[in-house]
Amino acid sequence: MTSGRRSVEEHEQHVAALLDPLRKKSPLRVPLAHALHRTLTEDVESPLDLPPFRNSQMDGYAVRAGDLASTPADLPVQGVLAAGDTVAALEPGHALKIMTGAPVPDGADAVVPVEDTRATTPDSDGAGSVTVERSVTPGTYVREAGTDVRKGDLLLPAGTVLAARHIAALAAVGLTSIPVRARPRVAIISTGSELVTAGSELGPGQIFNSNGPALAASASANGADVVTIDHCHDDPEEFVTMLEHAVGVADVVFTSGGVSKGDFEVVKDTLAPRGGQFVSVAMQPGGPQGTAVVDGVPILTFPGNPVSALVSFEVFARPALRAAAGYPPVVCESLPLTEELTSIPGRRQFLRGRLDEKGVTPFRGHGSHLVAGLAAADVLLDIPADTTSLEAGDLVKVRIL
Amino acid sequence: MTSGRRSVEEHEQHVAALLDPLRKKSPLRVPLAHALHRTLTEDVESPLDLPPFRNSQMDGYAVRAGDLASTPADLPVQGVLAAGDTVAALEPGHALKIMTGAPVPDGADAVVPVEDTRATTPDSDGAGSVTVERSVTPGTYVREAGTDVRKGDLLLPAGTVLAARHIAALAAVGLTSIPVRARPRVAIISTGSELVTAGSELGPGQIFNSNGPALAASASANGADVVTIDHCHDDPEEFVTMLEHAVGVADVVFTSGGVSKGDFEVVKDTLAPRGGQFVSVAMQPGGPQGTAVVDGVPILTFPGNPVSALVSFEVFARPALRAAAGYPPVVCESLPLTEELTSIPGRRQFLRGRLDEKGVTPFRGHGSHLVAGLAAADVLLDIPADTTSLEAGDLVKVRIL
């Protein structure tokens, strides 16, 4: 089916609905070592108290605060407790040498830091006695069990995108694996008989295929696993074969090329008879867009010009992939223009530009084949369809690339 | 060697000098498919013109503009040029049906979009004649060779951190591999006899090892390759063995624990006699810090408390790793406090906090063992050593986590 002109917003909604199943894939369990930047699918409650036992916050001496009513006080040293040692009870009127993290023994209620003591025998065996210079209040430098987290407390909420500090917390409570969002599996098919893979010689009329590598990188950068990257000539039979493979291994397929008004539009010609929708979206670049579903797998068909393909990905695919991976939405900011610009009425324009402290400057020359200009851009200016001119200083919506 | 109290700034400079060799590793060539998020080490000039040949920007008809002095004009159609076809010369007074991207033939100087024509025979064979509705100026919808990039032009400067749009440009000019910064190889050794790896049962006095997984994730997230993660008991012989392995395979080693004032400080006891420097840095958390060089490999020794270890990484290791990977520096912002706070004089404090639209709110309870608080934080407030109190509304330096 081929239908008429669509607004960007209409096509965004259409694509979002089509790709919604990506958000609903079954979660995956991954080991903590592979969890960086993954998104938790469930609230994680702590399976234990943290710290799991009462322990010393300092290197020093475990004491009864009541034994230090007058200082300096000499206390016989009962022994040494290193971190990892098992706990012994503190005898009344004694001190136990204790290292940071070691269990505070029954009977002790405070730790005197080593700086506030003088040992009367060498530190290394800990026997003998210690002179404590200052009195302490009960609880001093004692970390009670569960003061960081209590067993059953919410440690991390579902939806957390895991950074190192979250992995620290998960490891600290002894978790080895966690449920995370499954990454969407993406297949990419770039079409065009003029395309040659880098590494070969260009023949007459040929250009290098940049959409395959660029769409693959775009998908990877937005939380997807790229499972296949194919290049197809303008040959419907070859395209059908690649498409059948793609829908067998991927959750979503992105194609480039073959959707315009030429005589050899392999994507449109193949998918339109299979229920694909090919529309002209009121945007520039990226007007010719298509969608289809083959064997239950959604397919987005982007135009073949490199800039059109990447802008299409940015506008339609990236939000859905990020939602599927559980990543925060693409951020748009309103920033001042450094110079005036004019825009075609009736088309939402996505202009390449540069950001500096003065604001955002669009590049001159909007050709959708200008990959060098796209590479030099750090923002995409998003000019509404009904805007025809803007002055320097006007605010424009900007997507940070 | 054990020396006295250092300012954070002094230790930052000391560490930056120690880790400077990481920035000077020989570059690596990687295939374009592995280039996402890598940093270019050289300017890349285009090896060819882009587009490589004069081609059509539209699906339509290649014409001589002079043949359309009066319109509508009927022109015999000489044939069809698809993208990838070799170029033929346009005969005077004729049109050649042409697809987007196909070479514009010699003799033609403009392309009339298909929308502005009526074919008098079916589109599919292209023979017969075409009626052109409107005249065109020479150059219309013709992309000249080299109008995107000229051979020898700078395509991407050294230092570019490669995103999808850069990969598009590199692929478009036919490059298959590029020179990028080599990632620093990182070894991690967490020490402490009380530590147990997740998956085991906790015995009395034991806690789970969180520093190993957390430091590994931190290093990975900042452009490093983690090549070994070891856990060492408080046993100098075991530590020496692990250290020898680590310096054999890594460019930098991070350790946690064993640097404080206890009796069993395995890291300090092993490295101090080998020229290590163990200092007290005027910061909280993270005061006890050490550095050493073993077999030419720099070693940073962080304290063992999980929050201290991660804050130490953030302050001292992260800037150096990012510089080595060619990533932009860590961004600090000045943001208003939502409530007053007090800070210990003489110590630079790194407080965990939350950011919202009103500003930044520090968490109460600063214990360096509070991994749950660190996990819930999204910023680190950086309070200068000479600041003792701040009011609500005061600006504080904030590192975004």
Side-chain angles (χ1 to χ4, degrees), chain A:
Chain A
M1 182 190 116
T2 302
S3 40
R5 170 84 45 109
R6 249 189 210 163
S7 72
V8 172
E9 296 71 19
E10 283 166 337
H11 196 62
E12 279 176 329
Q13 284 165 24
H14 173 72
V15 169
L18 199 67
L19 300 193
D20 194 55
L22 298 185
R23 292 199 301 119
K24 293 167 182 162
K25 289 188 71 176
S26 301
L28 194 71
R29 278 201 92 82
V30 294
L32 219 47
H34 297 175
L36 183 66
H37 300 157
R38 304 297 300 245
T39 305
L40 268 185
T41 52
E42 292 172 20
D43 288 350
V44 174
E45 293 174 357
S46 180
L48 46 76
D49 280 351
L50 210 65
F53 50 88
R54 196 165 77 132
N55 72 93
S56 176
Q57 198 171 347
M58 299 292 272
D59 298 321
Y61 290 87
V63 297
R64 264 183 199 77
D67 290 341
L68 300 175
S70 68
T71 53
D74 275 350
L75 298 174
V77 175
Q78 191 183 323
V80 185
L81 275 172
D85 280 358
T86 48
V87 71
L90 179 68
E91 292 164 29
H94 281 65
L96 253 166
K97 194 164 194 191
I98 192 166
M99 303 304 143
T100 306
V104 173
D106 287 347
D109 59 10
V111 171
V112 181
V114 71
E115 295 92 324
D116 295 340
T117 65
R118 275 178 295 125
T120 52
T121 49
D123 265 357
S124 54
D125 72 313
S129 71
V130 63
T131 305
V132 177
E133 310 277 2
R134 298 189 211 170
S135 63
V136 288
T137 52
T140 301
Y141 294 126
V142 172
R143 301 191 283 222
E144 295 293 337
T147 45
D148 189 348
V149 185
R150 286 218 162 273
K151 182 175 175 174
D153 274 359
L154 178 67
L155 189 67
L156 293 174
T160 301
V161 180
L162 297 167
R165 64 191 185 281
H166 305 119
I167 289 171
L170 295 165
V173 300
L175 293 173
T176 53
S177 72
I178 43 158
V180 298
R181 287 281 186 106
R183 290 194 176 106
R185 294 170 303 163
V186 167
I188 293 174
I189 307 175
S190 46
T191 73
S193 292
E194 76 279 23
L195 300 183
V196 172
T197 301
S200 317
E201 285 289 304
L202 280 188
Q206 295 184 325
I207 59 171
F208 288 115
N209 177 12
S210 66
N211 285 332
L215 290 173
S218 299
S220 297
N222 287 281
D225 279 335
V226 179
V227 293
T228 173
I229 311 174
D230 283 314
H231 164 233
C232 183
H233 297 85
D234 293 325
D235 170 349
E237 217 167 294
E238 188 184 356
F239 184 66
V240 167
T241 303
M242 286 184 179
L243 195 63
E244 281 172 356
H245 172 245
V247 299
V249 297
D251 301 312
V252 60
V253 181
F254 302 128
T255 70
S256 67
V259 294
S260 195
K261 293 174 182 153
D263 288 356
F264 312 102
E265 302 294 2
V266 66
V267 173
K268 187 157 80 173
D269 296 349
T270 305
L271 289 174
R274 289 169 168 81
Q277 291 185 22
F278 291 85
V279 296
S280 177
V281 175
M283 67 189 282
Q284 193 178 59
Q289 297 287 340
T291 57
V293 177
V294 171
D295 292 351
V297 174
I299 300 168
L300 300 194
T301 73
F302 301 140
N305 274 315
V307 176
S308 304
L310 275 182
V311 168
S312 300
F313 180 92
E314 171 72 28
V315 175
F316 301 116
R318 193 174 169 214
L321 289 187
R322 294 185 69 82
Y327 289 176
V330 175
V331 177
C332 294
E333 294 184 35
S334 280
L335 292 169
L337 274 173
T338 61
E339 52 186 61
E340 59 180 11
L341 66 79
T342 58
S343 185
I344 305 170
R347 301 267 184 100
R348 191 159 148 189
Q349 295 260 344
F350 293 93
L351 306 177
R352 280 71 71 202
R354 270 266 185 207
L355 183 64
D356 64 19
E357 63 283 356
K358 288 176 197 150
V360 61
T361 307
F363 293 154
R364 299 293 160 191
H366 302 157
S368 46
H369 63 302
L370 297 173
V371 296
L374 181 63
D378 48 27
V379 293
L380 215 51
L381 289 74
D382 180 352
I383 313 296
D386 56 5
T387 298
T388 53
S389 71
L390 289 166
E391 302 295 315
D394 284 353
L395 292 179
V396 285
K397 204 165 110 183
V398 158
R399 288 170 188 245
I400 311 293
L401 292 174

Side-chain angles (χ1 to χ4, degrees), chain B residues 125-172:
Chain B
D125 73 313
S129 71
V130 64
T131 305
V132 177
E133 311 277 6
R134 298 188 210 170
S135 63
V136 289
T137 53
T140 301
Y141 294 126
V142 173
R143 302 191 283 221
E144 295 293 338
T147 45
D148 190 348
V149 185
R150 285 216 162 277
K151 182 174 174 174
D153 275 359
L154 178 67
L155 189 66
L156 292 174
T160 303
V161 180
L162 297 166
R165 64 191 186 281
H166 305 118
I167 289 170
L170 295 165

Side-chain angles (χ1 to χ4, degrees), chain B residues 336-341 390-395:
Chain B
L337 274 174
T338 62
E339 54 186 61
E340 61 181 11
L341 66 78
L390 289 166
E391 301 296 314
D394 284 353
L395 291 180

